[in-house]
Amino acid sequence: MFQFTEEQIKRYARHIILPEVGGKGQEKLLKSKVLVIGAGGLGSPSIYYLAAAGVGTIGIVDFDVVDFSNLQRQILHNTERVGIPKVESARMTVEKLNPDVKVITYNTMINKSNIMDVIKDYDVVLDGTDNFPTRFLINDACYFMGKPLVSAAMLRFEGQISVFDFRDKEHSPCYRCLFPEPPPPGLVPSCQEAGILGSIGGIMGCIQATEAIKLLLGIGEPLVGKLLVMDALSMDFRKVKLRKDPGCPLCGNNPTIRELVEYEQVCDVHF
Amino acid sequence: MAVIVRVPTPLRRITNGQGEVQVSASTIRDAIDKLEEQFPGFKERLIDEKGELRRFVNLYLNDEDIRFLKGLDTELKEGDVLSIVPAIAGGHR
């Protein structure tokens, strides 16, 4: 039996009392490793709640530094930290919140040559990135490595989230079943110009953290084979079916993608 | 058949800000054509030059992806809800 300290018993009391978590579940969380790619609008709340929940190891990938324009939504960071790397700011916030959490930082842009090495030791991967090329890269890498991926995206007042559980590649759809390839430049807003209501990151990031914790604990029904679409203007949450596409270039019957591919970064708004 | 079409925020500038529009149509293709008459520019956001649905836009009839029904030729029934879900990427910067 895992030996919780007295402080840990108090800290996690509201988890331990839940029959779905209990002491065993809390122990599992403390022994779990979650990788969050992007310490921004989605990564901030997801990292915050994963840390509060006592996920023992949190890896954080981001190449950026904190900017004033981030602070409207990226709650891991603060005014004093403008100019310092986001991963360092994230580490400081997490360490102040929960000393049980070991933070591993990757102050780098995730790419074809480093992604496999970065994700290999983690139990679950969270995608909170802001561009299509990286989203496809993360999807493909998690597929090849058999890692469950919690993928969320947001824009303006909307959010989308799904779970691709590549521990069960036979059945789980992937991001390419949803969208086979990145949109051509100029047709979909993908970057900062489109605007985002800050609290949308809170909603979607918290759902990501919840799905990650469910996967780690093996409880409930994760959003596998479902896409949750949220429209905050009407506060409408809809779940639609996300089926495994037999024609998917990655996980379909005749896959054409057999190794990592890198797409060019584009940043434009016309949709 | 009167159906409800749910419009994502990036497309609402074409629908005069409306997040939900009603249209009377027999198939999904017919609904898109009728919406084009009402909101010029609507169709080209969804349909490519070959007349197919763009690959970074998904349409759901109620909760089912139309690719797993009869695509754009799927027939509509009274009260159906057609949702437009484009790929979005924002998250971190």
Side-chain angles (χ1 to χ4, degrees):
Chain A
M1 179 68 192
F2 187 77
Q3 284 300 309
F4 289 105
T5 64
E6 215 164 296
E7 189 187 300
Q8 284 177 322
I9 290 172
K10 280 191 190 163
R11 181 183 286 272
Y12 305 117
R14 302 298 187 278
H15 271 171
I16 293 170
I17 204 170
L18 290 169
E20 292 81 356
V21 183
K24 277 194 177 152
Q26 190 59 53
E27 179 186 344
K28 256 190 211 168
L29 293 179
L30 284 163
K31 289 179 176 168
S32 297
K33 296 178 171 185
V34 174
L35 182 72
V36 182
I37 307 180
L42 290 164
S44 280
S46 61
I47 291 166
Y48 226 146
Y49 274 102
L50 292 170
V55 168
T57 303
I58 303 179
I60 305 173
V61 186
D62 206 304
F63 62 88
D64 224 345
V65 296
V66 178
D67 184 86
F68 276 110
S69 67
N70 302 147
L71 301 178
Q72 156 260 24
R73 65 196 181 286
Q74 300 184 14
I75 58 169
L76 279 179
H77 315 305
N78 64 45
T79 312
E80 284 169 12
R81 306 215 189 119
V82 168
I84 74 165
K86 284 186 178 176
V87 291
E88 284 312 315
S89 170
R91 179 207 296 279
M92 288 183 225
T93 304
V94 168
E95 285 178 351
K96 271 193 188 168
L97 174 64
N98 190 349
D100 291 343
V101 180
K102 179 181 170 199
V103 178
I104 300 174
T105 59
Y106 305 87
N107 189 8
T108 180
M109 190 181 278
I110 200 90
N111 59 37
K112 202 169 123 177
S113 49
N114 63 17
I115 189 165
M116 296 298 229
D117 201 41
V118 171
I119 68 174
K120 71 175 192 305
D121 294 327
Y122 290 91
D123 302 312
V124 175
V125 177
L126 270 60
D127 183 350
T129 61
D130 64 349
N131 64 83
F132 288 107
T134 310
R135 286 183 178 274
F136 282 90
L137 183 69
I138 294 169
N139 175 70
D140 297 359
C142 287
Y143 176 79
F144 290 130
M145 300 284 278
K147 301 286 182 186
L149 169 62
V150 184
S151 181
M154 57 184 189
L155 193 78
R156 297 190 176 127
F157 298 92
E158 284 181 41
Q160 298 176 0
I161 177 166
S162 188
V163 175
F164 308 119
D165 190 354
F166 298 130
R167 293 172 302 185
D168 183 11
K169 290 186 193 182
E170 292 290 306
H171 299 100
S172 177
C174 80
Y175 187 66
R176 287 183 189 271
C177 296
L178 184 61
F179 303 112
E181 53 187 52
L187 280 167
V188 173
S190 59
C191 298
Q192 54 266 51
E193 290 89 348
I196 176 74
L197 185 74
S199 57
I200 303 298
I203 300 172
M204 301 314 291
C206 288
I207 298 176
Q208 266 187 302
T210 308
E211 289 298 299
I213 289 168
K214 282 163 61 185
L215 289 170
L216 294 171
L217 295 177
I219 59 169
E221 289 169 36
L223 281 170
V224 179
K226 292 174 191 115
L227 174 71
L228 177 68
V229 184
M230 194 252 341
D231 173 3
L233 287 176
S234 54
M235 207 44 94
D236 182 36
F237 287 72
R238 269 172 299 142
K239 266 197 283 188
V240 293
K241 285 181 194 156
L242 201 176
R243 291 184 190 272
K244 193 172 174 70
D245 181 359
C248 175
L250 180 70
C251 73
N253 296 339
N254 295 298
T256 52
I257 298 167
R258 295 178 180 278
E259 55 182 36
L260 295 177
V261 283
E262 227 161 36
Y263 298 98
E264 204 185 322
Q265 297 270 357
V266 292
C267 183
D268 213 343
V269 187
H270 289 292
F271 186 79
Chain B
M1 301 299 150
V3 300
I4 290 167
V5 181
R6 289 198 161 135
V7 182
T9 43
L11 268 180
R12 288 183 196 169
R13 71 180 99 170
I14 294 174
T15 59
N16 309 320
Q18 296 174 81
E20 224 174 70
V21 294
Q22 270 213 2
V23 67
S24 220
S26 55
T27 63
I28 293 171
R29 199 185 295 277
D30 183 29
I32 294 170
D33 284 336
K34 292 210 166 118
L35 286 168
E36 171 67 21
E37 287 168 23
Q38 240 179 304
F39 307 111
F42 190 90
K43 187 175 177 178
E44 64 156 347
R45 306 303 168 112
L46 306 184
I47 306 292
D48 66 16
E49 49 290 339
K50 291 180 206 141
E52 298 297 324
L53 187 63
R54 293 188 186 275
R55 289 310 290 118
F56 53 88
V57 179
N58 286 333
L59 292 181
Y60 297 88
L61 184 62
N62 305 315
D63 68 346
E64 185 62 85
D65 188 333
I66 69 157
R67 283 186 286 160
F68 295 96
L69 300 170
K70 290 180 195 156
L72 293 170
D73 299 318
T74 305
E75 284 151 18
L76 297 169
K77 347 181 263 305
E78 189 77 23
D80 274 344
V81 178
L82 187 64
S83 303
I84 303 167
V85 179
I88 58 173
H92 127 274
R93 266 192 287 184

